[in-house]
Amino acid sequence: MRIMLTVNGKEYVRDVEPRVLLVHFLRDELGLTGTHWGCDTSNCGVCVVRLDGVPVKSCTVLAVMADGHDVHTVEGLANGAELDPVQEGFVACHGLQCGFCTPGMMMTARWLLDEHPDPSEEDIRTALSGQLCRCTGYENIVRAIQWAAAKESS
Ligand code: FES
Ligand code: FES
């Protein structure tokens, strides 16, 4: 099937098999490997991207379902050399260890701060509740998002 979609502001037209998942389309067809693939069960959340602004697990979406839609991946977070405040927060607060969960965490965090610029700790933990991190214990991820929220409100 021929699909046309926008990814990080750039338009793509591609022929895809109907069974191809969005996560594989992004990684294998477009070379956007910042979106990770970590499970076969829709549990881990490392594949989160934004589809028309809403965070989705891209392993639960077929590429053909993104036809005509707007996708944002972690590669689109920074503005050139200028990091997004969420990325700065993860650096400042050491919000990662191995980094495997980080792209998905950042995409959800960016959505949260766009929707709720002043989230409580509970809001942050609820937003991240569909995503797993095997390394950090979540504490520094939460701090990183609080850091970004504080920076954006200053
Ligand atoms: Fe694990 Fe998508 S790859 S939830
Ligand atoms: Fe390793 Fe989160 S930093 S899984």
Side-chain angles (χ1 to χ4, degrees):
M1 297 177 68
R2 176 151 298 184
I3 63 172
M4 183 174 69
L5 71 169
T6 304
V7 181
N8 300 330
K10 185 175 173 188
E11 201 170 273
Y12 294 90
V13 179
R14 290 287 191 282
D15 292 322
V16 296
E17 290 185 44
R19 65 183 177 83
V20 171
L21 298 172
L22 182 59
V23 62
H24 297 311
F25 175 79
L26 292 169
R27 291 176 56 84
D28 302 337
E29 181 66 30
L30 303 189
L32 297 172
T33 55
T35 301
H36 292 164
W37 179 44
C39 69
D40 286 320
T41 52
S42 305
N43 278 320
C44 73
V46 301
C47 61
V48 168
V49 300
R50 292 177 75 176
L51 182 63
D52 293 338
V54 177
V56 296
K57 291 178 175 175
S58 60
C59 72
T60 67
V61 178
L62 294 167
V64 293
M65 294 165 71
D67 182 32
H69 293 276
D70 190 29
V71 177
H72 283 268
T73 72
V74 71
E75 286 90 346
L77 264 187
N79 182 13
E82 186 185 336
L83 294 180
D84 185 275
V86 166
Q87 294 172 305
E88 288 187 278
F90 273 70
V91 173
C93 300
H94 196 57
L96 65 148
Q97 290 182 33
C98 79
F100 194 63
C101 71
T102 310
M105 293 290 184
M106 286 181 170
M107 296 311 288
T108 297
R110 186 62 268 158
W111 165 80
L112 177 66
L113 296 184
D114 289 345
E115 297 292 316
H116 305 286
D118 186 23
S120 65
E121 179 174 341
E122 188 180 355
D123 293 335
I124 295 171
R125 289 183 182 276
T126 299
L128 299 179
S129 62
Q131 293 169 245
L132 301 177
C133 176
R134 297 175 66 174
C135 307
T136 65
Y138 302 94
E139 293 296 326
N140 284 1
I141 294 175
V142 172
R143 283 191 196 110
I145 297 169
Q146 290 171 325
W147 188 100
K151 174 165 185 181
E152 291 183 345
S153 69
S154 64

